[in-house]
Amino acid sequence: MGILSLENEGKEFKLNQSRIVIGRRPGVDIVLADPAVSGRHILIISILDDSFLENLSDTNGTFINGDRTDKTVLQEGDVITVGNSKLIYHVDTTAPGVDEEDFEKTMILKPGQIARNVATESQAKAMQDAEDTAAIKAIEPEPESRVAVLKVLSGPAAGKEVKVNRSMVTLGRPGVQVVVVSRRKKGYFISFISGASGSGNPPAVNGRKLRSQSTPLVNGDVISLAGVEIEFVL
């Protein structure tokens, strides 16, 4: 979970909701008493331990570490400037993290490793994935026997496995290719989040290139990502 510290005022705001709007207007989630801040200035979407920022102000703009930005993934220590106010982003290391083995070599990314500037319209889809899954868990927990498994078929980590026993698993290499495998009410889906130019063949399922929309996964599907093949088993 992320935390925003308001510089020079000693105030801290926990990003403990999936969507948080910051601005001057009463009724937003975090109100800044700064006349240079727009009524609804920025939106922060939090997915697991990653926080995506989107500028909502056409007039005043938003700056990250001095650079104007419209969308970005926040990183530890980022200074967000809105109007005359500065918010410093920190990752709350005291909060319980996601119970996840170290699969860096298998391209199973730990929360917080999504590369800067990958936030696109796909972030909204990923957020919906997380919310849908939370509803599933609250109403009808999925039996352990029905939890999907990702098996690495090629590369130095061939033979490794990871269960998709949480709302989302992020796969890829930051700054190269990133996809998200998510659990929804109607099954498992894969979404293409980002791909850098010159990163080789685009992500694919069974040889078919992934597009921006979510693609359903079925037992036996093979995901090709940055030169590594991963089998989806359900």
Side-chain angles (χ1 to χ4, degrees), residues 9-230:
E9 293 196 22
K11 295 181 179 178
E12 287 191 345
F13 308 97
K14 292 186 177 182
L15 304 179
N16 53 6
Q17 302 176 47
S18 60
R19 295 171 64 89
I20 288 180
V21 176
I22 301 174
R24 191 181 72 252
R25 180 186 305 169
V28 299
D29 301 295
I30 298 176
V31 179
L32 298 178
D34 179 346
V37 171
S38 297
R40 291 168 55 86
H41 202 117
I42 58 176
L43 166 67
I44 295 180
I45 295 175
S46 296
I47 304 172
L48 299 179
D49 289 344
D50 290 298
S51 294
F52 299 82
L53 178 147
E54 180 175 353
N55 173 56
L56 301 178
S57 174
D58 294 330
T59 305
N60 298 320
T62 298
F63 298 81
I64 303 293
N65 302 325
D67 296 324
R68 187 163 185 148
T69 187
D70 289 322
K71 292 182 180 181
T72 192
V73 181
L74 294 173
Q75 296 182 355
E76 171 66 32
D78 276 350
V79 178
I80 307 164
T81 302
V82 288
N84 298 314
S85 301
K86 290 186 177 181
L87 295 158
I88 304 172
Y89 175 80
H90 296 290
V91 176
D92 185 2
T93 56
T94 63
V98 176
D99 185 13
E100 182 178 28
E101 295 184 41
D102 185 3
F103 278 102
E104 289 183 82
K105 292 184 180 179
T106 70
M107 297 166 53
I108 310 299
L109 303 183
K110 291 182 177 181
Q113 288 185 308
I114 299 178
R116 178 181 295 277
N117 296 327
V118 304
T120 67
E121 62 183 3
S122 298
Q123 70 186 37
K125 295 185 179 67
M127 182 186 66
Q128 187 61 53
D129 293 346
E131 292 175 346
D132 287 350
T133 302
I136 294 173
K137 290 181 178 178
I139 299 171
E140 185 181 358
E142 187 165 1
E144 186 71 13
S145 60
R146 294 177 55 199
V147 173
V149 174
L150 296 168
K151 294 184 177 181
V152 181
L153 303 179
S154 64
K160 295 286 187 180
E161 298 183 2
V162 63
K163 292 181 179 179
V164 189
N165 55 4
R166 55 187 177 87
S167 59
M168 295 184 298
V169 170
T170 305
L171 308 175
R173 293 175 182 169
V176 181
Q177 292 178 355
V178 177
V179 300
V180 166
V181 174
S182 58
R183 292 167 58 190
R184 300 186 190 179
K185 295 177 182 178
K186 295 183 179 180
Y188 291 83
F189 291 77
I190 184 168
S191 302
F192 181 25
I193 301 298
S194 73
S197 60
S199 59
N201 294 327
V205 174
N206 302 328
R208 295 184 178 181
K209 297 178 182 178
L210 287 176
R211 305 299 180 185
S212 57
Q213 68 270 23
S214 296
T215 301
L217 289 170
V218 298
N219 183 49
D221 279 349
V222 176
I223 303 165
S224 301
L225 181 65
V228 174
E229 292 192 336
I230 304 169

